[in-house]
Amino acid sequence: MTTLTSTRPPVPAATPSRTLAMIERNFMIYRRSLTPLLSAMVEPVLYLVSIGIGVGMLIGDVAGVHVRYPAWVAPAILATTAMNTAFNQTSFGVFSRIRAERTYEAILPTPVSVTDIACAEVASAVINAVLTSIGFVVVMAVAGLVTSPAVLLAIPASILVGFAFAAGGLAVTTFLRDFADFQYIQLVMLPMYLFATTFYPLSTYPAPLRPVIEVLPLYQSIQLIREPALGAAGWSQLLSVAYLAAFGVAAMWIAVRRMTRIMLS
């Protein structure tokens, strides 16, 4: 009697020591050049200066909030900084190591597992997201855009935002076939950046569209950082925490299984 067995490779468990070794490997490479970290700061600062401060001179205070427009926009740009830093590292960076550089093919014969690799890539991306977030908070302080000491909560918040988008980037990367497919990612990321209340309040949207905006992960990220930064932290932030944690865990689950199938099958 023939027994049917699954050909799907098993998903290995993560080992903390091996994951830490992979993180150390990543940062040994990063320390050779600060260019990627510094470049991640350039774009958000340009948006802050051009739109936050430039357009803010024409707008004045944000209606219903009584906060200067640059101070209102800055926390949202901070959230997008954490998002972009984490997402870019686990999307383009990991795709290059899978398809072009074949880095993981040289690593997998060692005791390091696919899960170790996935966890290390996400953790490395989160660390970089936190570093760029700290840098942007410093920029906000120098520019006089800090309105509440609670802006310091943006640092731990950036850990969660970084985790959600790093895991999301890793999951998306496993579905890409070649570098040309990255243009489809931009078709999602750029509109989300523009419309997730980064530059104008949710109240500007027609009522039927507001629930659509509220389910965007970047909207939840902005809410998690903007409210404390403006001194308006409340229980509503717990919803954003739960949303981003669930989003990150689900994306991580997909990423590990897809990477295992791609690299071990």
Side-chain angles (χ1 to χ4, degrees), residues 71-85:
W72 186 83
V73 167
I77 297 180
L78 172 57
T80 61
T81 299
M83 174 191 74
N84 286 330
T85 302

Side-chain angles (χ1 to χ4, degrees), residues 210-222:
R210 293 175 191 172
V212 177
I213 302 300
E214 290 175 332
V215 299
L216 296 175
L218 180 56
Y219 171 82
Q220 297 296 331
S221 301
I222 290 173

Side-chain angles (χ1 to χ4, degrees), residues 61-68 72 201 226 230 232:
D61 290 352
V62 179
V65 184
H66 305 295
V67 174
R68 290 184 304 142
W72 186 83
R226 176 181 274 156
L230 299 180

Side-chain angles (χ1 to χ4, degrees), residues 1-51:
M1 182 175 182
T2 302
T3 302
L4 296 177
T5 58
S6 175
T7 59
R8 180 178 298 179
V11 178
T15 305
S17 61
R18 294 168 186 165
T19 300
L20 289 173
M22 278 294 301
I23 295 173
E24 181 181 4
R25 171 212 172 266
N26 288 344
F27 279 92
M28 287 178 66
I29 296 173
Y30 299 153
R31 73 181 182 181
R32 296 179 183 176
S33 175
L34 293 177
T35 302
L37 195 60
L38 294 176
S39 63
M41 285 293 301
V42 172
E43 184 178 348
V45 171
L46 291 178
Y47 274 112
L48 179 63
V49 173
S50 61
I51 298 180

Side-chain angles (χ1 to χ4, degrees), residues 24-264:
E24 181 181 4
R25 171 212 172 266
N26 288 344
F27 279 92
M28 287 178 66
I29 296 173
Y30 299 153
R31 73 181 182 181
R32 296 179 183 176
S33 175
L34 293 177
T35 302
L37 195 60
L38 294 176
S39 63
M41 285 293 301
V42 172
E43 184 178 348
V45 171
L46 291 178
Y47 274 112
L48 179 63
V49 173
S50 61
I51 298 180
I53 297 176
V55 176
M57 295 178 66
L58 304 175
I59 295 177
D61 290 352
V62 179
V65 184
H66 305 295
V67 174
R68 290 184 304 142
Y69 184 73
W72 186 83
V73 167
I77 297 180
L78 172 57
T80 61
T81 299
M83 174 191 74
N84 286 330
T85 302
F87 188 91
N88 290 340
Q89 185 171 327
T90 57
S91 56
F92 188 85
V94 170
F95 186 83
S96 296
R97 286 188 279 279
I98 292 176
R99 304 293 187 184
E101 301 168 7
R102 305 285 185 177
T103 303
Y104 301 139
E105 289 186 6
I107 293 175
L108 285 175
T110 73
V112 175
S113 69
V114 175
T115 307
D116 294 326
I117 293 173
C119 291
E121 293 292 358
V122 168
S124 300
V126 170
I127 293 171
N128 281 339
V130 172
L131 292 176
T132 55
S133 297
I134 292 173
F136 195 81
V137 169
V138 172
V139 171
M140 289 174 58
V142 171
L145 301 179
V146 173
T147 60
S148 170
V151 71
L152 294 176
L153 293 175
I155 305 306
S158 67
I159 297 175
L160 185 56
V161 174
F163 166 67
F165 282 99
L170 199 62
V172 169
T173 297
T174 63
F175 291 93
L176 303 182
R177 298 161 299 177
D178 53 49
F179 286 101
D181 288 343
F182 278 93
Q183 62 185 324
Y184 300 116
I185 294 179
Q186 291 305 312
L187 290 177
V188 176
M189 298 296 288
L190 183 58
M192 182 169 64
Y193 176 54
L194 295 175
F195 299 121
T197 71
T198 309
F199 300 110
Y200 38 84
L202 184 65
S203 58
T204 60
Y205 289 99
L209 286 180
R210 293 175 191 172
V212 177
I213 302 300
E214 290 175 332
V215 299
L216 296 175
L218 180 56
Y219 171 82
Q220 297 296 331
S221 301
I222 290 173
Q223 289 298 103
L224 183 62
I225 292 178
R226 176 181 274 156
E227 297 301 317
L230 299 180
W235 292 105
S236 61
Q237 271 68 61
L238 293 179
L239 177 61
S240 297
V241 168
Y243 176 100
L244 292 172
F247 181 90
V249 169
M252 197 69 188
W253 185 86
I254 293 171
V256 170
R257 277 151 182 77
R258 291 276 307 169
M259 288 180 69
T260 300
R261 186 180 304 175
I262 290 171
M263 290 192 277
L264 297 183

